[in-house]
C-alpha cells in the first residue's frame, strides 16, 4: 500500500520485511488462537494481501483519510514548550486533530473498508479508553455496518463520555465483567464473541497486537502518521529528526510513527510505557520495561505475568495504556535495540498533561501525556539543534472527568 | 502405541465409544481434584481431561472461566498439578490429558515441561491456543517423551486445515461441535454428520467430539459417528454450588455413569 509506507524502506512486500509468512517478528508474533479462528485469519490475510495492492482500495483509503478524517494532520512546532524546556526543538504530530479525536480512526477506516470489501455485514471491537470503540462505531456508522463493542465495566465507569458516543453512533456496547474488567478482559470477550460469529463478523482489533495479520495490518494503516511526519519534517527542517517519542499501550500510535523511520538509523525511537505508581510497585502497565516474554491474545510478546505464567492485573491512570501486553513488533524492536522503551508514572503523565495545556493551549489525552512527560525529561538534556517529534496521539476531552476528579473539582 | 491410542483401541474393540469427562485442576482445591479423579475412574471414564487454570481463558464460556477463577484463588501452579499426577499414578493408570492455554507451559519452559510431564505420567496435552502452526516449539519435546498432542478441529476447518491437523495430531483429534466457546447447549449443530465425513477424509486416527454436550441423548446420538464424547461444562457447573464434598462426588459420579452408559447403546 504505497501511501501507507515509506518508499525508502522495505515494506511488507519486500524481501527482508517482517513479519515473515507465518506472522513472526523474530521470536515474537505468530497466530496463537484456537482452531475455530484459524480459517478466518487465513481469509483475512488473503484479503488484506489482495486489497493492499488494489488501486481502488488504496484510493478509497486515501479519500477517507483526507476528506473524512481530515488528514494530513499538522506537524506543529511547539515554540513555547521548546523555549521553556531550553533544549531540543519539539514538534507535535497532531493526531488529536483527527475526526473522533485520536489516531485510532486511521486504522478503523482501513479495517472497516476491508470488511466491506470482504462482504462482512457486522464488525466487533474491544476498547479500553473508548477511543478505538468510538472510531470503530464511527466507521461502522459511515459504512452502514452493524457494530458491537466490548468494554470492561471499570473502563465504562471512567470513560462514560465515549460510551455515550458509541451508543449515539448506533453501536451496541457490551459490558465485560470478567477478570479485571478492563481492556484485556474486553479483548478476551471480543475473541470469544468472534469465535461464535466468525463466519459473518469482522473483528476490528485496535492495536498492533493480536494474531497475525493484525499487527502487520494495523501497523500499515497507522504508518500514515510516520509517512506524513517524515515528509513534513524534511520540508520544515530539511533533515530527519533525532528522536521520535510516543506512548505505548498496545503500541499502535508509536508503531505508526516509528515504522516509516525504521531504516533511518540516525533517528532514535522512544516508546513510553505506563509506569502507574512506578515500575518498582505492582501497580503499572510497563510490559517491556518490567514484563517477561509470553503468549496472550494470539501473539508472543512481552507481558505482565507472574512466576506461573498467569497474566497480572495492570494499572494506569489512562485506560488506553492499561493493558498487560504490547505489540510483537515492539518486542522485536526492543530485542534488536532499534527502539528504546522507557516509562512515565501517573504523576509524571499528569504533569505532562498540565504543562502542554498551559504552555501550548493543547489538552492532550492522558495516554499521549505519557509521551509529553518523557519529553519534559529528555528535551532539557539535549542541545538546541536537536529535533524531537512527539506523537500527540489523542485529545484529552475524554479524560476531563478523571483529571477533575484528581484535582478535587466537581463538574 | 501411546496409552491414549491403546485405550481407544481397547474400548472401540468392545463395541463401545469412549467417554471423556473434563474437570478443572484445583477447583476448588487439589485435594478434591484427586478424589474426583478416582470417582471419575470408578464411574466409567475412559480417559480424563484435566484443565490447567489460566487467567485469560479466551476459548471458554462462563462455566469454565469461573472454574479457572476458583482454582486460581488457591494459587495453584503447573508444578502442583504435576505433583498431583504423580500421586494419582499410585492408584490409577487411566490416560490423562492436560488441557489448557500455552502461556503457563511456555513460562515453565517447553522442554522442561515435557520431561516433567512424562515423569508425572501425563499421557497427552491439549493446548487450545497452540494450533499446529505454532506447535513446532513444543512438539519435538513431547514427541521425544512420547506424550500425545491432541489438536482441535472446528466446524470452520477447511481441507487444508484438516490436512495440517492430521499430519500433526496423535492420540485422537478433538472435533469442536459448535462454532463458539465451551459451554453446555440445548441443541447442537445440525451439520455434525456431514462434518464427520469431511474430517474422515483427512484424519485416520480416532475423532472425539466436545463443546456444548450435556445430556445422555446427545451422547447417544453423537456416538453413532464419533469415537469419543467429551463433556466439560455440564460437569464443572456442578462445582459452582455444592452442599458437601461427598454430595458433589456422588452427584458427579452418577452423572458420569449415566453419560458413559449412553456410549454403550449402539452395539
Amino acid at each position: 500500500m504505497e501511501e501507507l509506507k515509506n518508499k525508502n524502506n522495505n515494506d511488507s512486500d519486500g524481501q527482508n520485511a517482517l513479519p515473515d509468512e507465518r506472522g513472526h517478528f523474530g521470536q515474537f508474533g505468530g497466530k496463537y488462537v484456537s482452531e475455530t479462528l484459524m480459517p478466518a485469519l487465513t481469509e483475512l490475510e488473503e484479503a488484506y494481501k489482495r486489497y493492499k495492492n488494489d488501486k481502488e482500495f488504496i484510493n478509497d483509503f486515501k479519500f477517507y483519510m483526507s476528506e473524512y478524517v481530515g488528514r494530513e494532520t499538522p506537524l506543529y512546532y511547539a515554540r513555547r514548550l521548546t523555549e521553556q524546556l531550553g533544549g531540543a526543538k519539539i514538534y507535535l504530530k497532531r493526531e488529536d486533530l483527527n475526526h473522533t479525536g485520536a489516531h485510532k480512526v486511521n486504522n478503523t477506516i482501513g479495517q472497516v473498508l476491508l470488511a466491506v470489501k470482504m462482504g462482512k455485514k457486522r464488525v466487533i471491537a474491544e476498547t479500553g479508553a473508548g477511543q478505538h470503540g468510538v472510531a470503530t462505531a464511527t466507521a461502522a456508522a459511515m459504512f452502514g455496518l452493524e457494530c458491537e463493542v466490548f468494554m470492561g465495566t471499570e473502563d465504562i465507569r471512567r470513560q462514560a463520555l465515549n460510551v455515550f458516543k458509541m451508543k449515539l453512533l448506533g453501536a451496541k456496547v457490551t459490558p465485560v465483567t470478567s477478570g479485571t474488567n478492563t481492556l484485556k478482559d474486553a479483548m478476551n470477550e471480543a475473541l470469544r464473541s468472534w469465535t461464535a460469529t466468525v463466519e459473518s463478523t469482522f473483528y476490528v482489533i485496535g492495536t498492533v497486537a493480536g494474531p497475525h495479520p493484525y499487527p502487520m495490518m494495523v501497523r500499515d494503516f497507522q504508518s500514515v502518521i510516520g509517512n506524513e511526519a517524515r515528509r513534513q519534517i524534511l520540508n520544515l527542517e530539511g533533515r530527519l529528526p533525532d528522536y521520535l517519542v510516543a506512548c505505548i499501550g498496545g503500541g499502535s500510535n508509536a508503531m505508526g510513527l516509528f515504522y516509516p523511520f525504521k531504516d533511518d538509523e540516525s533517528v532514535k525511537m522512544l516508546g513510553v510505557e505506563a509506569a502507574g505508581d512506578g515500575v518498582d510497585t505492582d501497580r503499572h502497565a510497563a510490559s517491556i520495561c518490567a514484563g517477561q516474554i509470553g503468549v496472550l491474545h494470539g501473539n508472543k510478546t512481552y507481558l505482565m505475568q507472574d512466576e506461573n505464567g498467569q497474566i497480572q492485573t495492570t494499572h494506569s491512570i489512562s485506560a488506553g495504556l492499561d493493558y498487560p501486553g504490547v505489540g510483537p513488533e515492539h518486542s522485536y524492536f526492543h530485542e534488536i535495540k532499534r527502539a528504546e522503551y522507557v516509562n512515565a508514572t501517573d504523576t509524571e503523565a499528569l504533569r505532562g498533561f498540565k504543562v502542554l495545556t498551559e504552555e501550548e493551549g493543547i489538552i492532550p489525552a492522558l495516554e499521549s501525556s505519557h509521551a509529553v512527560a518523557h519529553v519534559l525529561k529528555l528535551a532539557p538534556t539535549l542541545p538546541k539543534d536537536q529535533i524531537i517529534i512527539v506523537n500527540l496521539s489523542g485529545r484529552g476531552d475524554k479524560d476531563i472527568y478523571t483529571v477533575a476528579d484528581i484535582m478535587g473539582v466537581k463538574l | 502405541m501411546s496409552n491414549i491410542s491403546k485405550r481407544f483401541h481397547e474400548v472401540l474393540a468392545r463395541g463401545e465409544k469412549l467417554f471423556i469427562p473434563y474437570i478443572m485442576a484445583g477447583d476448588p482445591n487439589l485435594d478434591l481434584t484427586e478424589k474426583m479423579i478416582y470417582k471419575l475412574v470408578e464411574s466409567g471414564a475412559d480417559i480424563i481431561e484435566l484443565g490447567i487454570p489460566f487467567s485469560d481463558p479466551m476459548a471458554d464460556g462462563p462455566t469454565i472461566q469461573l472454574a479457572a477463577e476458583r482454582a486460581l484463588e488457591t494459587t495453584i501452579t503447573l508444578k502442583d498439578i504435576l505433583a498431583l499426577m504423580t500421586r494419582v499414578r499410585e492408584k490409577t493408570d487411566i490416560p490423562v490429558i492436560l488441557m489448557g492455554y500455552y502461556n503457563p507451559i511456555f513460562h515453565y519452559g517447553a522442554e522442561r515441561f515435557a520431561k516433567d510431564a512424562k515423569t508425572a505420567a501425563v499421557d497427552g496435552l491439549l493446548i487450545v491456543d497452540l494450533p499446529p502452526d505454532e506447535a513446532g516449539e513444543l512438539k519435538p519435546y513431547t514427541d521425544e517423551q512420547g506424550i500425545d498432542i491432541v489438536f482441535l478441529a472446528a466446524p470452520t476447518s477447511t481441507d487444508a486445515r484438516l490436512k495440517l491437523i492430521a499430519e500433526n495430531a496423535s492420540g485422537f483429534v478433538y472435533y469442536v461441535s459448535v462454532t463458539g466457546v465451551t459451554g453446555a447447549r440445548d441443541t447442537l449443530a445440525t451439520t455434525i454428520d456431514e462434518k464427520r465425513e469431511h474430517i474422515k477424509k483427512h484424519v485416520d486416527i480416532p475423532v472425539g467430539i466436545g463443546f456444548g454436550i450435556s445430556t445422555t441423548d446427545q451422547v447417544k446420538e453423537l456416538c453413532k459417528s464419533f469415537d469419543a464424547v467429551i463433556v466439560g461444562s455440564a460437569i464443572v457447573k456442578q462445582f459452582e454450588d455444592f452442599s458437601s464434598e461427598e454430595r458433589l462426588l456422588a452427584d458427579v459420579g452418577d452423572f458420569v455413569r449415566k453419560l458413559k452408559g449412553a456410549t454403550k447403546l449402539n452395539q
Side-chain angles (χ1 to χ4, degrees), chain A residues 294-316:
Chain A
V295 173
L296 179 72
H297 293 152
N299 62 142
K300 187 182 281 179
T301 191
Y302 277 90
L303 298 174
M304 302 287 301
Q305 54 184 317
D306 68 14
E307 65 278 12
N308 299 308
Q310 305 293 348
I311 306 307
Q312 280 173 321
T313 307
T314 52
H315 164 78
S316 169

Side-chain angles (χ1 to χ4, degrees), chain A residues 20 38 74 101 156 163 178 197 199 210 216 223 247 312 336 345 359:
Chain A
D20 64 19
M38 291 301 284
I156 287 179
V163 174
S178 59
T197 57
E199 280 147 324
M216 168 181 80
S223 289
C247 67
Q312 280 173 321
I336 64 167
T345 62
E359 296 299 324

